[in-house]
Amino acid sequence: MSSGGAGPAQADGQGGADSPGGPGARPHARDPHGLPIWQSSQPGSIYDYIRVASFSLGPDGRIDQWSERAADMLGIPAQYAVGKDPVEAFVPGELRETGHRKVSEILDGREWTGLVPYRREEGGQAEGLAEIYVMPSETELGERAAVCLVVDVRALRGIETDLAAAQAVFGQSPMGFTLFGTDLKLMRVNERFATVFGGPAHKYRGGSPHDFLPPGEADRLTAALRRVLETGESVAEMQVVGLVPGEEERRRWSISLYRLHGASGRPIGIAALAADVTGRRRAEREAANARRNLALLNEAGARIGNSLDLETTARTLLDVAVPQFCDLASVDLYQGLLAGDEAPPGMSDGSAELRRVAFASAVSDAPLATSTCCSPDGSQDPVAVGAVHRYPFNSPCAGALRTGQAQIIPSRECDDRQELGAVVHSTLAVPMVARDTVVGLVQFSRTKGSEPFGERDTALAVELAARAAVCIDNARLYRREHERALILQRSLLPPGDPEAAGLDIACRYLPGTTATEVGGDWFDVIELPGHRTALVVGDVMGRGLRAAVAMGELRTAVRTLALLDLEPAEVLSALDEIARGLGGGGDGRTGARSSRGRSGSSAETARAAGAADLSEVYLATCVYAVYDPVTRRCTFANAGHLPPVLVEDGEDALLLDVPPGMPLGVGGEPFEEIEVDLPDGALLALYTDGLVESREHPLEEGLRAFRAALSDADRPLEDACDHVLSVMDTSHGEDDIALLMARVHGLPKDAVGDWNLAPDARSVARARELARDQLTDWGLEALVDTTELLVSELVTNALRHGHGEIRLRLLLDRTLVCEVWDADLAQPRRRRARDTDEGGRGLQLVGLLSDGWGSRRTPRGKTVWFELALPDGESAAPDPTEALLSLF
């Protein structure tokens, strides 16, 4: 008797890979008449698991058949079992009496089921326990016999344990557990599955995914089940979404699928594990949003504020926000802020004018069209970039500006912008607040399909707007200070293109710091009496606003000293004393000198160091030159500055050998001066070290390049100035650059009248005659009467108060200058004469009729001069008669 072996049907090839439900199994095959036909199963059926064997007893109670499964399970070959009494052969001695009685009862025709211990060999101990099911039978002669089925109890107990464990896992699993059959129908679900999807567990048996999921999700799960059944490949954490009965919130489940196989290896179904991951998904989404917000803030911190331009900062804010945070955005700034008003921008009611400075969109290039862009009647068009507008008082945006609080505004479709009104569904109006001042408004908008703004989004938007607001306010403050610095710098430099008699002037100033455009380098062109011109170039140690302030003080001092008509060396000596006084706190000594020779306390040392630091700000170099267009002679004095460069026609540029001297503010050394004759057509260049010195090359190399550039500058003066700057390295940004270039042409001989007069009374009439004739030759008859009167006054004073020979000189250029020279050192002083005085009104008359007058010392006396404007045909010259009468 055989159990579980492959039958004849297996040999015909059926039951192979084409079996239904997967490889190795088919449902009941049928013949053409529809009747079942024989079919074999692969090894591994339930009979193999429970180890069923069989044998039979003959009429004499002995074994007459012994199956191979019995031999394998009990460990007794058939030759040792057939023909033996089973009680004597297998039952222990103490149980044999009972065994013989039970065999007799069986042969009497009774069925019997019971547990029987057995041993594998004669004399051995009981090794196993078998459950035997005995069925009475008859032989072909009608004699009583029995068929016995034997099951190994240990195998049964193992199966019972496995079933109990499977039941425990299935029933007590915290995850939804279900079994799908090969027809993709639910065979069994556990209680957790029923709890997750709603309803009792039994209602799902025989159902399909369409019974507990929406159609689209059910189709996805069905396709996944079919793929797992066909391929055997597992699916891990497939996400499906659906609704639980009685709840409005959409739930998300994670489902894992794997194919189940029977003992024979054939697929018998699909196991599915389902877990509710709605909370986990929500937490993951919040964590992702938090990471995105942190990344957005990090990017904002890195990008916003890199520019001090208001519009650039606003555009950078939108570049960061769109599309990472929103789909559309705009920035409005108060018009007063953009105009540079000193008063805080905006009004308390939020109704001040704003200008739209930036707009960005990830969905459309059209201007932002949300509910905030619409007036109450819906007639207002969207605001374009650059447009100035106001928000209605009752609008949400005006409310945000008034309160300084962000507001979430649901969209309201505008009648004239239906296409955009249907897109935008959520808007954040965020005021830009910096230092308790509202500077503008940012609007962030999201379109339909994006998640509406929430509390976390509002906090992030406020942070982004605050960062941009601080940068914009900084830009506003910088622009204000920058404009002030520019005003200061421009006020300290010569306005426009300076003019000078006998000179063509071109100048350039390049600040080392383009952010402030102010520095310590300066140049100046100062008109002196006698159509002479002072050319000044200086360099204060340091950069920025402090250096510019120090430069302004020194420049003012230079102009004041120049108007005293002092010699260049005297000007620098006086300027040195002034610089030392500025640097030393007003006591006329530098910090270094005031601390010299002291060995006091640390506090004194600190004060000395502080004074020394302050004095460094006022250390300066300067070159001062005075050019006389009549003599074509220039007098130079230098205070530690680089030497001027002279280029004569057809010659190479030459560094003038001007004694360098000590920088201003050091003190203790006198300054020297030299005179240089400048021929017509010569080019003179004064400059600061920023033009010729940098970290990239030494000073000598820069000077050679500068001289080469000047030698090649045979072109109009302005073009020559630009050529020099283009050739030289002016973009290093290490120091300020000042360049002053002058081309010499002098005064022509026919523009000068020069006479010597004897020291007697007849010289007054002679002076009037000479002046009248010269002015007539120049075609200046309109100035004859005034000039005669003033010349007679100056010559009379020279005769009365001076001594020695008198010299009269008339100079014609842009104005008429008259000079009277005498040998007396006493300077004339203007005073107001009393009504009873017979004299003392001469200098008053000179002051009334001239455009300017003054006196200066000369090596052998003094010179008194006055200046008259040339007639322009529009304004009449002063009437000498009226001027005389006004004195009485």
Side-chain angles (χ1 to χ4, degrees), residues 233-480:
E233 296 180 0
S234 301
V235 172
E237 296 187 357
M238 174 182 177
Q239 302 285 318
V240 296
V241 179
L243 291 174
V244 174
E247 295 186 11
E248 297 182 357
E249 181 184 8
R250 289 165 60 89
R251 310 289 291 181
R252 182 179 294 270
W253 297 280
S254 175
I255 298 179
S256 297
L257 306 174
Y258 58 94
R259 191 169 70 181
L260 297 177
H261 301 86
S264 62
R266 66 183 180 87
I268 61 174
I270 302 169
L273 292 175
D276 190 340
V277 295
T278 305
R280 186 179 72 185
R281 178 66 176 177
R282 187 184 302 112
E284 291 175 352
R285 186 168 58 250
E286 291 179 356
N289 290 337
R291 288 193 297 270
R292 182 202 65 184
N293 293 349
L294 288 175
L296 198 62
L297 287 176
N298 183 59
E299 182 182 2
R303 297 180 59 184
I304 298 176
N306 291 332
S307 171
L308 286 174
D309 180 75
L310 280 73
E311 289 80 0
T312 301
T313 301
R315 287 193 295 269
T316 303
L317 169 63
L318 300 193
D319 291 340
V320 171
V322 179
Q324 293 92 331
F325 177 68
C326 62
D327 301 313
L328 304 97
S330 67
V331 177
D332 299 322
L333 297 179
Y334 277 117
Q335 180 69 0
L337 179 144
L338 296 170
D341 295 345
E342 291 293 331
M347 298 175 63
S348 60
D349 61 358
S351 62
E353 287 187 338
L354 299 106
R355 184 193 303 172
R356 179 144 298 173
V357 296
F359 166 77
S361 172
V363 296
S364 172
D365 293 331
L368 186 66
T370 65
S371 61
T372 58
C373 292
C374 301
S375 61
D377 58 3
S379 61
Q380 183 179 348
D381 291 331
V383 180
V385 175
V388 178
H389 64 100
R390 298 176 186 266
Y391 286 113
F393 179 80
N394 293 326
S395 67
C397 289
L401 291 171
R402 280 195 303 273
T403 62
Q405 302 294 323
Q407 295 191 22
I408 299 179
I409 309 168
S411 178
R412 182 186 66 192
E413 296 184 6
C414 302
D415 294 339
D416 57 346
R417 301 289 290 182
Q418 290 288 344
E419 67 278 9
L420 284 180
V423 172
V424 176
H425 76 107
S426 183
T427 299
L428 260 176
V430 185
M432 306 178 72
V433 183
R435 301 176 181 91
D436 297 327
T437 300
V438 179
V439 299
L441 183 77
V442 188
Q443 293 184 68
F444 303 102
S445 295
R446 288 179 178 173
T447 58
K448 291 184 177 179
S450 299
E451 186 177 350
F453 289 112
E455 293 183 2
R456 292 180 181 269
D457 297 319
T458 304
L460 177 61
V462 170
E463 178 65 22
L464 290 175
R467 294 193 180 195
V470 170
C471 296
I472 287 175
D473 195 51
N474 288 340
R476 176 181 70 88
L477 296 175
Y478 162 76
R479 185 167 64 180
R480 185 183 67 184

Side-chain angles (χ1 to χ4, degrees), residues 630-704:
V630 178
T631 63
R632 291 169 173 77
R633 182 170 297 169
C634 190
T635 304
F636 294 92
N638 192 354
H641 203 79
L642 294 173
V645 177
L646 178 64
V647 185
E648 296 187 17
D649 191 16
E651 302 290 337
D652 292 335
L654 175 68
L655 287 175
L656 294 179
D657 188 15
V658 180
M662 299 297 291
L664 301 176
V666 174
E669 297 292 337
F671 295 98
E672 301 180 43
E673 61 184 39
I674 64 168
E675 291 186 350
V676 179
D677 292 329
L678 302 181
D680 286 351
L683 182 65
L684 180 67
L686 307 179
Y687 54 95
T688 57
D689 58 356
L691 180 64
V692 295
E693 185 178 22
S694 74
R695 296 187 183 93
E696 303 298 329
H697 56 76
L699 176 62
E700 291 75 11
E701 182 179 335
L703 287 173
R704 284 196 300 269

Side-chain angles (χ1 to χ4, degrees), residues 8 288 323 363 388 441 475 530 566 604 705 739 765 794 808 812 828 832 836 844:
V363 296
V388 178
L441 183 77
L566 302 176
E604 293 174 341
L739 175 63
L794 295 187
L808 172 65
L812 177 62
R832 181 174 295 278
T836 57
Q844 285 185 264

Side-chain angles (χ1 to χ4, degrees), residues 750-798:
D750 58 2
V752 180
D754 196 348
W755 306 275
N756 292 324
L757 301 174
D760 57 47
R762 289 175 297 179
S763 295
V764 176
R766 177 60 178 164
R768 287 199 299 266
E769 180 183 356
L770 292 171
R772 181 174 58 252
D773 293 343
Q774 185 66 65
L775 292 181
T776 301
D777 291 342
W778 286 340
L780 299 177
E781 289 82 357
L783 299 180
V784 168
D785 292 341
T786 302
T787 305
E788 281 190 46
L789 178 59
L790 298 185
V791 165
S792 65
E793 287 292 336
L794 295 187
V795 173
T796 298
N797 285 341

Side-chain angles (χ1 to χ4, degrees), residues 134-148:
V134 181
M135 296 172 287
S137 62
E138 291 184 355
T139 65
E140 58 185 5
L141 300 177
E143 297 176 322
R144 290 284 183 180
V147 176
C148 302

